[in-house]
Amino acid sequence: TTPTMTSSGGFRFTTALSMSSYPIVNSYNEWDPLEEVIVGVVDGMCYPAPCPGYRSMWRSDDEIFVGHGGFLSRFFSRLYGRLTGAYKRGTFCGPSIVDRRQFEQAKVELDNFERILTNEGCTVRRPDRLDYNVKVKTPDFTCEYGNSASCPRDTIIVFGDEIVEAPMSWRSRYFEYRAFRNLIKEYHRQGARWCCAPKPLMGDELYKSNYPMKDGPNRKQLIEQHQYPLTEFEPCFDAADILRMGKDVFIQHSLVTNLFGIEWVRRHLGPEYRLHPLHFPSDLAPVHADATMSPLRPGLVITNPDRPCEEAEIFRRNGWMLRDAPISDHGRAATGMCSCWLSMNVLSIDESRVCVEATEKKTMRLFEDLGHKVIPVPFRNFYEYGGAFHCATVDVRRRGGLQCYFPHEEEMARLAAERVTSTHVGQGRN
């Protein structure tokens, strides 16, 4: 690494990794040619520990007492018969919660995914491998254990040349950023901008203690009214609730992303971008947008037929095609962490190449019909650990710049700016 003095008196660190024609960190959308990407790891992982933010994802029959009136999630119950020994708090982590073969196979799949991306011309980076079977404790809360670094898409996001760390709302994920810090510091030394959104305290004030569980009374009505279990005490969002499409950025209002968080993103991005909230009222557990909507290239987005988007008209009036995805060939993941729509959680290497799970035949046929080159990648075992290809990655560098793919919105913004300018001129003459 070589430090170079900049015109402002600071230092820029350069290495062989930064010799691209684009900045070391550069990504504005989900489809420009991918040059560098972070792929997650499952080493040392735990399933999410019981906490107020996580409770709203489950049904009432999942809630059985643990410790001080806590709850045990459904996937723990389903897996109990496969475990050896009695349940002890904090021990359901890593390979101990599922059969060893499946866990090891998920690791193999991630390593194979890395090789495939490398063969397709991408530089692949991996986060640090940490032990998450440790108590998470701050002055505001205590959580029995952490989560994982399997899904970097949730934790960090790139806007242009800037890396943003997301202020997630699950207590088990409070320190999840630590696995990525060495990589982020390296990118920062090579010229990338770096921002940490305000870290939430995650005290009890952040959560609605009386919010109904998934099958609880009035749950559907609350979702339709855009009422979710987080309060507006402090800003929260998961990065996976954000879909980047050039100057237009879409963010799902969800169980883990509140209005305060959406407004923080809006102000942080500034006038160069337009931020659009998304709602999917038929989804009773909306968490992360990338198994509900998947933009593949300019003018084409894959949608979830079970979860129609309230704001779909913005795509139609800008000439985008909305194409329904088929349901997964496998149904829901055994742990219940992911839905039967995980098959649409794909990674686009560019506008023509897309990584799809190797056994998802219906999804592969759809993409082939749309003119894409499908790259089949075995990933079925990783499904059990919280996601698929989009979840398991985060773009670092794509070859391209900031563009507008929603011309109607651009024209409306221009006209609005002209009206404001003419009003100010008229007031000045008076």
Side-chain angles (χ1 to χ4, degrees):
T1 302
T2 304
T4 304
M5 181 75 76
T6 66
S7 59
S8 61
F11 284 94
R12 181 183 298 274
F13 293 77
T14 58
T15 72
L17 289 173
S18 63
M19 299 306 176
S20 169
S21 57
Y22 288 90
I24 186 65
V25 170
N26 184 84
S27 185
Y28 293 95
N29 57 51
E30 311 290 338
W31 55 76
D32 276 343
L34 184 63
E35 293 188 342
E36 185 158 341
V37 63
I38 298 172
V39 173
V41 296
V42 294
D43 305 75
M45 75 165 290
C46 299
Y47 282 119
C51 72
Y54 190 43
R55 180 180 182 273
S56 61
M57 290 187 64
W58 303 105
R59 302 172 64 88
S60 56
D61 58 7
D62 299 320
E63 191 162 20
I64 62 177
F65 85 90
V66 176
H68 304 290
F71 70 95
L72 186 64
S73 297
R74 180 167 65 244
F75 53 76
F76 287 160
S77 301
R78 289 178 176 173
L79 292 168
Y80 186 86
R82 299 163 64 183
L83 303 173
T84 57
Y87 171 74
K88 296 180 181 179
R89 293 183 70 192
T91 61
F92 285 73
C93 62
S96 65
I97 59 171
V98 295
D99 64 72
R100 182 80 182 193
R101 184 210 62 80
Q102 184 182 62
F103 183 81
E104 293 299 329
Q105 191 58 39
K107 294 170 65 175
V108 170
E109 288 175 348
L110 281 169
D111 292 343
N112 179 59
F113 183 35
E114 176 182 357
R115 285 191 293 271
I116 289 173
L117 289 173
T118 300
N119 291 338
E120 294 293 329
C122 303
T123 297
V124 178
R125 312 299 304 277
R126 307 295 291 273
D128 293 340
R129 290 163 169 82
L130 306 178
D131 179 12
Y132 292 90
N133 189 21
V134 292
K135 184 171 289 189
V136 178
K137 183 169 181 163
T138 78
D140 299 284
F141 70 85
T142 299
C143 190
E144 286 301 310
Y145 42 87
N147 188 19
S148 75
S150 62
C151 295
R153 187 75 59 172
D154 303 353
T155 311
I156 53 180
I157 189 168
V158 170
F159 295 107
D161 66 345
E162 181 182 39
I163 301 170
V164 176
E165 294 182 21
M168 297 186 290
S169 61
W170 291 0
R171 290 171 175 175
S172 62
R173 310 192 77 172
Y174 189 85
F175 292 113
E176 198 162 309
Y177 66 89
R178 295 178 65 249
F180 305 96
R181 273 293 174 87
N182 284 328
L183 284 174
I184 295 173
K185 287 187 292 184
E186 179 183 325
Y187 291 131
H188 182 66
R189 291 183 180 116
Q190 296 177 67
R193 293 184 297 141
W194 172 19
C195 172
C196 302
K199 195 73 174 170
L201 300 177
M202 295 189 191
D204 291 342
E205 301 91 342
L206 179 59
Y207 310 100
K208 299 175 184 176
S209 60
N210 61 345
Y211 194 84
M213 300 187 79
K214 192 173 179 181
D215 61 342
N218 303 321
R219 173 69 174 242
K220 187 176 188 298
Q221 181 181 359
L222 289 171
I223 294 290
E224 290 174 345
Q225 295 172 350
H226 307 162
Q227 298 295 319
Y228 301 102
L230 296 181
T231 69
E232 301 299 332
F233 180 73
E234 51 197 350
C236 288
F237 63 87
D238 278 16
D241 265 334
I242 299 174
L243 298 171
R244 302 158 309 138
M245 305 184 207
K247 289 186 176 183
D248 291 272
V249 176
F250 297 81
I251 181 167
Q252 180 180 216
H253 187 196
S254 73
L255 303 186
V256 294
T257 296
N258 60 13
L259 292 174
F260 203 165
I262 292 173
E263 182 59 24
W264 186 92
V265 174
R266 186 191 309 278
R267 296 189 194 182
H268 182 74
L269 291 178
E272 196 172 19
Y273 293 86
R274 292 180 289 270
L275 190 69
H276 309 276
L278 294 176
H279 300 90
F280 304 91
S282 61
D283 185 1
L284 296 185
V287 174
H288 303 163
D290 51 4
T292 301
M293 180 172 281
S294 181
L296 293 182
R297 61 178 186 251
L300 174 63
V301 62
I302 302 302
T303 55
N304 187 322
D306 273 5
R307 305 170 188 169
C309 179
E310 281 190 359
E311 295 80 14
E313 179 56 29
I314 186 175
F315 294 93
R316 297 190 181 99
R317 69 175 178 243
N318 285 276
W320 283 64
M321 178 171 66
L322 305 178
R323 185 69 179 267
D324 283 348
I327 198 167
S328 170
D329 288 79
H330 304 287
R332 192 181 182 91
T335 59
M337 286 187 69
C338 299
S339 79
C340 54
W341 296 101
L342 199 57
S343 50
M344 61 183 292
N345 188 271
V346 299
L347 178 69
S348 293
I349 296 179
D350 54 31
E351 291 185 20
S352 62
R353 292 176 293 169
V354 59
C355 294
V356 182
E357 208 288 317
T359 61
E360 298 287 0
K361 303 302 182 184
K362 291 181 291 187
T363 303
M364 287 193 284
R365 283 196 297 271
L366 169 65
F367 291 146
E368 288 169 350
D369 290 344
L370 291 169
H372 287 263
K373 177 187 175 183
V374 171
I375 301 172
V377 183
F379 222 58
R380 182 70 183 93
N381 291 283
F382 185 81
Y383 276 21
E384 307 297 337
Y385 299 96
F389 302 109
H390 199 259
C391 299
T393 59
V394 66
D395 313 350
V396 174
R397 187 173 63 257
R398 288 184 180 269
R399 195 165 62 249
L402 182 61
Q403 298 185 44
C404 174
Y405 303 98
F406 291 79
H408 183 270
E409 309 313 303
E410 187 94 331
E411 178 65 11
M412 294 298 292
R414 185 187 66 80
L415 293 174
E418 286 182 355
R419 285 195 295 271
V420 171
T421 300
S422 62
T423 300
H424 287 168
V425 170
Q427 290 175 344
R429 288 173 178 168
N430 293 335

